[in-house]
Amino acid sequence: MTITHADTAARTPVPTQSTYQSRVADYWNAEENPVNLELGKIDDLYHHHYGIGDADWSVLDEPDPDRRRERVAGELHRLEHAQAELLASHLGDLTPSDRVFDAGCGRGGGSVVANLRYGCHADGATISAKQAEFANEQARKRGIDDKVRYHHGNMLDTGFTSGAYAASWNNESTMYVELDLLFAEHARLLRRGGRYVTITGCYNDAYGRASREVSLINAHYICDIHPRSAYFNAMARNRLVPVHVEDLTETALPYWELRRKADHLVTGIEDTFLNAYRNGSFQYLLIAADRV
Ligand code: GPP
Ligand code: MG
C-alpha cells in the first residue's frame, strides 16, 4: 500500500506545545514567590519583572521588623512599577479605542498599567493557565474586564486578528522563545506604524558568549537569554525598526541591591544578577521599534 503525504500528515499528531514550553508552563503554574505575590497585593498590580531607579535606602534602617518588611516590599514594588511605567511610556500616543498586545503577560500587571494610562483595550497571552486565570480575576475585580483580557496560549501563535494592534510588548519574556518566531507574530498583529517595545536582559556580545552568571540565570528560570545582537537582527528581518534603545543596566542595580537585603523576599538569584551586570556580561535593555 502506498501512503501519500496527505495521509501521513492527517495521521501524525501535532503537539500544541513543545516539551520545553510545557516545562515553562509548569514553572509558572507552580510559582508563588513572595517577591511577586507580596509586592503585587500592595495595590493589586502583579508584575513579573524587575525594578529601575534610585532606591530609598532608609527603609533598611526601620527599627520595627514588621514595618521594615513592609517598607522594603513597598520600595521594591515602587521600583518595579517605575519599570512598567517606563515601558508603557514608549507605546506611542494611544487612545481608548486602541488595542495593545501584552506578550508573556504573567499575572497581568503590564496590561493594567497600559489600560490605566491610555484607557486602551489589552490582550495578554501567557502559557500558564493559572496566570491567565489569576490575571482575569484581577481585571474583573477592577471592573476593566470588558477591555483587558488575558488568554492562556502561546505568544508565538496567538490566533488574534492581524493588524488589529496599535502597540505590543514583551516585558522580560523574550528569553523563553525564538526571536524570529516572536517578532513575526508581533509584526503580524501590529498595524503599520504600530509600536513594539521590549525590556529585556540580554548577554553582551562585546563581552563574548554567555557568562557563568548568564548561564545561572538561565538555569534559575529555565530560559535562554539571547545576545544583544540577536534582537536587532531578528527585528530587521521582521519589519520592526528600532526608534529608541536605552541601556538600563546602571539603573537596574539599586533594585537588586535592595532585594538582596530583603530577607523575607530573596529567591537566591540576587547576587548573580548583580555580578552579571557588574562584570559586563549582561545588560538590561529597552528597545522600542516601529512596525513598518
Ligand atoms: C522575572 O520574573 C523575569 C523572568 C523570569 C525572565 C528572566 C528575566 C531576565 C531579565 C533574564 P519574576 O518577577 O517572576 O521573577 P522573580 O520571581 O525572581 O521576581
Ligand atoms: Mg518578581
Side-chain angles (χ1 to χ4, degrees), residues 224-237:
D224 187 11
I225 292 165
H226 304 288
R228 173 157 44 105
S229 57
Y231 285 88
F232 300 97
N233 289 330
M235 282 182 183
R237 287 191 290 265

Side-chain angles (χ1 to χ4, degrees), residues 55-75:
D56 172 5
W57 303 106
S58 74
V59 297
L60 295 171
D61 302 328
E62 173 63 47
D64 178 67
D66 288 345
R67 183 75 190 120
R68 182 185 191 269
R69 277 196 285 275
E70 218 173 274
R71 287 186 63 195
V72 170
E75 187 58 6

Side-chain angles (χ1 to χ4, degrees), residues 150-168:
Y150 302 95
H151 310 257
H152 171 218
N154 191 332
M155 63 176 158
L156 302 178
D157 183 14
T158 58
F160 301 159
T161 308
S162 299
Y165 294 81
S168 66

Side-chain angles (χ1 to χ4, degrees), residues 35-36 47-50 80 255 259:
V35 74
N36 299 319
H47 297 302
H48 279 282
H49 52 76
Y50 314 124
E80 290 189 2
Y255 170 85
R259 179 164 152 168

Side-chain angles (χ1 to χ4, degrees), residues 97-160:
S97 61
D98 281 326
R99 185 165 283 279
V100 299
F101 167 45
D102 179 357
C105 60
R107 286 187 173 94
S111 286
V112 177
V113 168
N115 170 268
L116 291 175
R117 193 181 180 104
Y118 301 108
C120 57
H121 299 261
D123 286 300
T126 168
I127 203 157
S128 157
K130 203 159 155 228
Q131 284 187 331
E133 195 186 322
F134 183 98
N136 278 321
E137 180 56 23
Q138 291 298 317
R140 262 192 299 278
K141 279 196 201 152
R142 278 183 184 272
I144 55 172
D145 52 318
D146 56 330
K147 291 198 111 172
V148 177
R149 294 201 180 124
Y150 302 95
H151 310 257
H152 171 218
N154 191 332
M155 63 176 158
L156 302 178
D157 183 14
T158 58
F160 301 159

